[in-house]
Amino acid sequence: MNDIDYDRLSTAELNAIHAQLLEAYEAYKRQKLSLDMSRGKPCDEQLDLSLEMLDIVGSGDVLTDRSGLDSRNYGGLDGIPEAKDLFAQLLDVSPSELIIGGASSLTMMHDTLSRAMLHGVFGSSLPWGKLPAVKFICPSPGYDRHFAICELLGIEMIAIDMLQDGPDMDQVEKLAAGDDAVKGIWCVPKYSNPDGITYSDEVVDRLARMETCAGDFRIMWDDAYTVHHLADEPDRLKPMLAACKAAGHPDRVLMFSSTSKISFPGAGVAVMAGSENNMNFIRKQLAVQTIGPDKLNQLRHVRFFKGPAHIEAHMKKHAAIIKPKFEMVLNLLETELGGKRIASWNKPNGGYFISLNIMDGCARSVVRMAAEAGVTLTKAGATFPYGHDPRDRNIRIAPTFPTLSELKTAIEILCLCVQIMSIRTFLNRRGANGAETYV
Amino acid sequence: MNDIDYDRLSTAELNAIHAQLLEAYEAYKRQKLSLDMSRGKPCDEQLDLSLEMLDIVGSGDVLTDRSGLDSRNYGGLDGIPEAKDLFAQLLDVSPSELIIGGASSLTMMHDTLSRAMLHGVFGSSLPWGKLPAVKFICPSPGYDRHFAICELLGIEMIAIDMLQDGPDMDQVEKLAAGDDAVKGIWCVPKYSNPDGITYSDEVVDRLARMETCAGDFRIMWDDAYTVHHLADEPDRLKPMLAACKAAGHPDRVLMFSSTSKISFPGAGVAVMAGSENNMNFIRKQLAVQTIGPDKLNQLRHVRFFKGPAHIEAHMKKHAAIIKPKFEMVLNLLETELGGKRIASWNKPNGGYFISLNIMDGCARSVVRMAAEAGVTLTKAGATFPYGHDPRDRNIRIAPTFPTLSELKTAIEILCLCVQIMSIRTFLNRRGANGAETYV
């Protein structure tokens, strides 16, 4: 059924195809499947890559860090020195510009904005929570959990478009310069969630250089997929902290990353980075929140990963497992949806997602229809602020967790649903079904 | 020098003793010691008790929890089922009344009050941060890090007295009933920090029953030392959540605990507990802050500790290590300071501290003088809100971390400083030194 522009078919032809597709869909439905593609979770095989990490900090091993601090005991507010070194290399910052956290960078981002609301950020004249309004620029589609943090904290979200090289910088610059309530922007700058886009050097520079009405504007730079390459030639992201320093705005960016999808999502190491001013400001508050993060787990990670070269090799093993999954999804999308002018999607060089855009007004129906056949997708609209996709067209595909065979079935079902809903949309537009209107 | 009431000695006799003590002090000073008794840290020998825990969740072990969830992957917002079971037994609550956190109960307490400021607690009509004032009752001396959280969040602290069976309930009841800005109270109900006091049943019941002007009053119940016994006959604390339920105030208490001083301070498991209303309210916000805590570390703890009986046996091993330290401190205090009417102290049945009260106005000078001889004590005043001990008399002794021989030296120095400052106080009072006034 390749390369058929649905809209050029006659109503009778469309009805015939619709009947065929529906029959195939109903056949799947009868299988009572249960396939989950809702979240970007590594699969078991990926988790096994780091298994040895669980054996290298045992009762017989040295348990002190390089400074001599016993990793079992209290202390070490912002991490052990060797973990700082490792992450500093990964994030292109110096060790003093780093804070190591617990297992979750999401928690560090949440806490950073909570603190901003309660106490402000470095350079704020007032806690953000004391201001009449706080607004954040949200390139969309984006990461639903970023938006959930804003929603919880009452930070107003302004959705702007993602383009092929990052956020639409004309929109970003206008918003940042025009309103002192605009306090920040969310960015997933490399292999973005869900589009898989890596920001161009120009976008990085414009973000670093732009005029902001708020003196304490912050870029929340979630570099979650910094080493998560799929292509042989990895994308290269211009180092953001250096760009901000060069532009005379050293305190503008707060960077976040973690090993969640390098080692274990449930027991990784998270990190944040930024100027020493920013880090010292946060360290003071952090000293009230904690005596220190889990240092034994930092030891495990440092001893297992050794350095950037070893992490690079490790990530190639991840890629070898998940790349076939991405390729299968892309091939199926091309086979089933290509040439019909009903869908478009990205071909990411890294990251965890494929972002599928279908006909306007169809995403929620497709997600619901897929769910009825046992395929759980990320909730439609989740990739937009307040869960509201204005065109109701974006579907986030997370190919990593299911097996290849599960994935194949799930994507086949998804493609059936997309085609069925597309045909119904065409038919409804034509009003050609008389009394029968597809919804 | 035992059993000499200093104040009954002549000025000449006091001057003579002062000279002797000063000579001994100066001799210690010349040794250029470096002894740290500032924090309640377990010693290496205690940490070794849990070493095997590091070997039981290895690459060859089952890594799923009882529900089948892979502990390496995402998920499990509030802990794995077997960890909930274990802590539920320890804290006398049901598993649904628990949330397992990361490694730090301090973080859970900080985050709970941060959330209260930003969003309120279950039943609040407004976030506490939107109110003109928020006040907390702070039984003092107490835990400095509790007070630091209040100070960071701008919660006004009202110091009230600790009596022999808990906080002065007459004061507590009056404050709680009289002012709707009074939103809570800090409690370390068992082997309190620093007094080592366990709340009596009557205190527990009065806290549970009392009238509070604020409908969303919360007891921050930091049960840090719940199994940390030193005496053969452990103190018994009346279960607080049950008492609150019985009194018709099921949502009043939020309980906190951790394994920091059971397993590893730097890599333990923390927990909070309370009514299902409270826990569900917090779970909703927690779902935005994190995808879940470190589940592998929970597995380690559950497999190592098995159940309450095993924890009890484990804590006896801790006691065997630290009890001689407590006994030595108590013996030295008795030998050096007893009968002189210059100091009093508690004899705790558990916990981590000995609380020493010396003559009014002497604590800061003694801590400074000890520091000059290389003995670091907890900062004077730290056990009171805003670091202000109104009588400047309380010194917190943390005997667990140093070796017995280090501890002996440190306490001898401390006792010298206390005696010297006491004598100076007596002499100053008498104005007997002419031009020379000891300060």
Side-chain angles (χ1 to χ4, degrees):
Chain A
M1 287 190 275
N2 208 1
D3 283 304
I4 305 162
D5 184 343
Y6 275 176
D7 208 18
R8 295 187 176 215
L9 297 182
S10 71
T11 297
E13 284 169 319
L14 280 181
N15 269 320
I17 296 173
H18 181 268
Q20 278 173 31
L21 295 166
L22 201 59
E23 197 178 317
Y25 171 79
E26 293 295 340
Y28 274 123
K29 213 169 159 181
R30 282 189 295 273
Q31 292 184 36
K32 299 204 180 300
L33 300 163
S34 175
L35 304 168
D36 192 341
M37 288 204 306
S38 63
R39 306 293 327 177
K41 285 169 70 170
C43 62
D44 294 357
E45 216 180 335
Q46 287 178 272
L47 300 176
D48 288 346
L49 295 175
S50 302
L51 261 183
E52 279 171 40
M53 181 188 290
L54 299 180
D55 302 328
I56 54 180
V57 176
S59 62
D61 297 299
V62 174
L63 300 173
T64 48
D65 68 20
R66 202 171 65 196
S67 76
L69 184 69
D70 190 330
S71 294
R72 300 172 300 177
N73 219 327
Y74 286 118
L77 178 67
D78 61 355
I80 64 174
E82 44 269 64
K84 286 188 202 172
D85 276 359
L86 178 64
F87 284 106
Q89 292 175 74
L90 279 185
L91 298 179
D92 275 311
V93 300
S94 81
S96 60
E97 293 167 331
L98 268 180
I99 294 173
I100 316 267
S104 162
S105 58
L106 181 70
T107 299
M108 296 187 97
M109 294 184 264
H110 167 278
D111 289 3
T112 297
L113 289 188
S114 281
R115 280 193 287 263
M117 295 303 283
L118 288 166
H119 320 296
V121 297
F122 174 77
S124 296
S125 49
L126 267 181
W128 292 2
K130 298 280 183 204
L131 302 172
V134 179
K135 302 176 190 173
F136 250 64
I137 303 168
C138 299
S140 303
Y143 181 29
D144 56 344
R145 293 190 189 270
H146 290 165
F147 304 152
I149 291 172
C150 281
E151 204 166 346
L152 176 68
L153 295 173
I155 296 174
E156 189 187 321
M157 291 179 272
I158 308 168
I160 59 125
D161 297 326
M162 277 295 285
L163 306 181
Q164 278 313 303
D165 64 345
D168 180 341
M169 283 307 302
D170 293 343
Q171 286 184 282
V172 172
E173 285 166 347
K174 198 173 159 198
L175 286 164
D179 183 354
D180 69 357
V182 173
K183 290 290 190 187
I185 181 172
W186 281 111
C187 297
V188 182
K190 198 164 180 180
Y191 308 133
S192 68
N193 178 349
D195 285 321
I197 288 166
T198 297
Y199 291 14
S200 68
D201 290 2
E202 195 203 334
V203 165
V204 168
D205 283 329
R206 285 176 76 177
L207 282 166
R209 271 200 310 256
M210 70 184 179
E211 192 191 324
T212 64
C213 192
D216 55 354
F217 185 96
R218 286 296 180 277
I219 299 172
M220 296 288 283
W221 194 254
D222 184 1
D223 202 3
Y225 306 108
T226 188
V227 291
H228 304 59
H229 316 295
L230 287 168
D232 294 331
E233 192 64 45
D235 289 359
R236 205 192 55 81
L237 176 67
K238 183 164 181 171
M240 187 55 171
L241 183 56
C244 285
K245 286 177 184 173
H249 302 128
D251 304 321
R252 176 170 292 179
V253 67
L254 294 170
M255 303 161 71
F256 302 87
S257 195
S258 81
T259 70
S260 290
K261 294 181 182 91
I262 301 175
S263 61
F264 303 125
V269 174
V271 63
M272 71 181 292
S275 71
E276 287 191 27
N277 281 338
N278 275 325
M279 294 302 103
N280 288 336
F281 184 85
I282 288 171
R283 280 184 194 108
K284 262 187 219 155
Q285 296 159 5
L286 206 58
V288 178
Q289 187 183 17
T290 181
I291 307 178
D294 184 333
K295 295 186 293 297
L296 286 177
N297 205 34
Q298 292 177 39
L299 267 192
R300 274 182 207 106
H301 278 74
V302 171
R303 289 183 186 167
F304 183 71
F305 285 122
K306 297 177 183 79
H310 194 271
I311 290 183
E312 200 182 315
H314 183 81
M315 294 315 290
K316 284 195 175 147
K317 296 181 200 165
H318 275 285
I321 296 168
I322 64 176
K323 204 174 163 182
K325 297 183 180 182
F326 277 80
E327 281 170 355
M328 174 199 275
V329 173
L330 291 168
N331 287 339
L332 275 173
L333 291 176
E334 187 56 44
T335 313
E336 301 299 322
L337 307 180
K340 299 193 170 77
R341 303 187 25 137
I342 57 173
S344 62
W345 54 90
N346 65 322
K347 294 181 182 67
N349 287 332
Y352 260 64
F353 302 103
I354 291 166
S355 181
L356 173 69
N357 282 321
I358 58 175
M359 291 177 75
D360 286 12
C362 286
R364 274 183 298 172
S365 323
V366 163
V367 168
R368 187 168 56 237
M369 206 177 166
E372 284 164 8
V375 177
T376 308
L377 294 160
T378 305
K379 204 177 161 200
T383 53
F384 286 78
Y386 307 107
H388 178 66
D389 176 356
R391 295 175 64 179
D392 185 26
R393 65 166 188 165
N394 186 252
I395 291 176
R396 187 180 80 166
I397 300 173
T400 52
F401 188 71
T403 62
L404 266 175
S405 103
E406 285 169 348
L407 188 63
K408 183 163 183 287
T409 308
I411 298 297
E412 282 169 353
I413 292 170
L414 170 62
C415 289
L416 283 172
C417 297
V418 169
Q419 293 173 85
I420 290 167
M421 288 314 305
S422 303
I423 291 176
R424 290 180 185 180
T425 302
F426 285 124
L427 292 174
N428 282 338
R429 275 191 203 159
R430 295 181 194 175
N433 277 291
E436 187 181 359
T437 300
Y438 290 109
V439 286
Chain B
M1 288 190 275
N2 209 1
D3 283 303
I4 306 164
D5 184 341
Y6 275 173
D7 208 18
R8 296 188 175 214
L9 296 181
S10 71
T11 296
E13 285 169 318
L14 279 181
N15 270 320
I17 296 173
H18 182 267
Q20 278 174 32
L21 294 166
L22 202 59
E23 198 177 318
Y25 170 79
E26 294 294 340
Y28 275 123
K29 212 169 159 180
R30 284 190 293 273
Q31 293 184 34
K32 300 207 179 298
L33 300 162
S34 176
L35 304 167
D36 192 343
M37 289 204 305
S38 64
R39 305 295 324 178
K41 284 170 70 170
C43 63
D44 294 358
E45 217 180 334
Q46 287 177 272
L47 301 176
D48 288 345
L49 294 175
S50 302
L51 262 183
E52 280 172 40
M53 182 188 289
L54 299 180
D55 303 327
I56 54 180
V57 176
S59 61
D61 296 300
V62 173
L63 299 173
T64 47
D65 69 18
R66 201 171 65 197
S67 76
L69 184 68
D70 189 329
S71 293
R72 301 172 300 177
N73 219 327
Y74 286 118
L77 178 68
D78 61 355
I80 63 174
E82 44 269 63
K84 287 188 200 171
D85 275 0
L86 179 64
F87 284 105
Q89 290 175 76
L90 280 184
L91 297 179
D92 275 311
V93 301
S94 79
S96 60
E97 292 166 334
L98 268 180
I99 294 173
I100 316 268
S104 162
S105 59
L106 182 69
T107 299
M108 296 188 96
M109 292 185 266
H110 166 278
D111 289 3
T112 298
L113 288 188
S114 281
R115 279 193 285 263
M117 295 303 282
L118 288 166
H119 321 295
V121 296
F122 174 77
S124 295
S125 50
L126 267 182
W128 290 4
K130 299 280 182 203
L131 302 172
V134 179
K135 302 176 189 173
F136 249 65
I137 303 168
C138 298
S140 302
Y143 181 29
D144 56 344
R145 293 191 189 269
H146 289 164
F147 303 152
I149 291 172
C150 281
E151 205 166 344
L152 176 67
L153 295 173
I155 296 174
E156 187 186 322
M157 290 179 273
I158 308 169
I160 59 125
D161 297 326
M162 275 296 286
L163 306 180
Q164 280 311 305
D165 63 345
D168 180 341
M169 283 308 300
D170 292 343
Q171 287 183 281
V172 173
E173 285 166 347
K174 199 174 157 198
L175 286 164
D179 182 355
D180 68 357
V182 173
K183 289 291 191 187
I185 181 172
W186 281 112
C187 297
V188 183
K190 198 164 181 181
Y191 309 133
S192 68
N193 178 349
D195 286 320
I197 288 165
T198 298
Y199 291 13
S200 68
D201 290 2
E202 194 202 336
V203 164
V204 169
D205 283 330
R206 284 176 74 179
L207 282 166
R209 272 199 311 254
M210 69 184 180
E211 193 191 323
T212 64
C213 193
D216 55 356
F217 185 97
R218 285 295 179 278
I219 299 172
M220 295 288 284
W221 195 253
D222 183 2
D223 202 1
Y225 307 108
T226 188
V227 292
H228 303 60
H229 316 296
L230 288 167
D232 295 331
E233 191 65 45
D235 289 359
R236 205 192 56 79
L237 176 67
K238 184 164 178 171
M240 187 54 172
L241 184 56
C244 285
K245 286 178 184 173
H249 302 128
D251 304 320
R252 176 170 292 179
V253 67
L254 294 169
M255 304 162 70
F256 302 87
S257 195
S258 81
T259 69
S260 290
K261 295 181 182 91
I262 302 174
S263 61
F264 303 124
V269 174
V271 64
M272 70 180 294
S275 70
E276 288 191 26
N277 281 338
N278 275 323
M279 294 302 102
N280 288 337
F281 184 83
I282 288 170
R283 278 184 195 109
K284 262 186 219 155
Q285 295 158 7
L286 205 59
V288 177
Q289 187 182 17
T290 181
I291 308 179
D294 184 333
K295 295 185 295 295
L296 286 176
N297 206 33
Q298 291 177 40
L299 267 191
R300 275 182 206 105
H301 279 75
V302 171
R303 288 181 187 168
F304 183 71
F305 285 123
K306 298 176 182 80
H310 194 270
I311 290 184
E312 200 181 315
H314 182 81
M315 294 314 291
K316 284 195 175 148
K317 296 181 199 164
H318 276 285
I321 296 167
I322 63 176
K323 203 174 164 183
K325 298 184 180 182
F326 276 81
E327 281 170 354
M328 174 199 277
V329 173
L330 292 169
N331 287 338
L332 275 172
L333 292 177
E334 187 55 44
T335 312
E336 301 300 321
L337 307 181
K340 298 195 170 76
R341 303 184 27 136
I342 56 173
S344 63
W345 55 90
N346 65 323
K347 294 181 182 63
N349 287 331
Y352 260 63
F353 302 103
I354 291 167
S355 180
L356 174 68
N357 282 321
I358 58 175
M359 290 177 75
D360 287 11
C362 287
R364 274 182 300 172
S365 324
V366 163
V367 169
R368 188 169 54 236
M369 207 177 165
E372 284 165 8
V375 177
T376 308
L377 295 159
T378 305
K379 203 176 163 201
T383 52
F384 285 78
Y386 308 105
H388 177 67
D389 175 356
R391 297 177 63 180
D392 185 27
R393 64 165 188 165
N394 186 251
I395 292 176
R396 187 181 78 165
I397 301 174
T400 52
F401 188 71
T403 63
L404 265 175
S405 105
E406 286 169 345
L407 188 64
K408 183 163 181 288
T409 308
I411 298 296
E412 281 169 356
I413 292 171
L414 170 64
C415 288
L416 283 172
C417 298
V418 170
Q419 292 173 86
I420 290 167
M421 288 313 305
S422 302
I423 290 175
R424 291 181 184 181
T425 302
F426 285 124
L427 292 174
N428 281 338
R429 274 191 205 159
R430 294 180 194 175
N433 276 292
E436 186 182 2
T437 300
Y438 291 108
V439 285

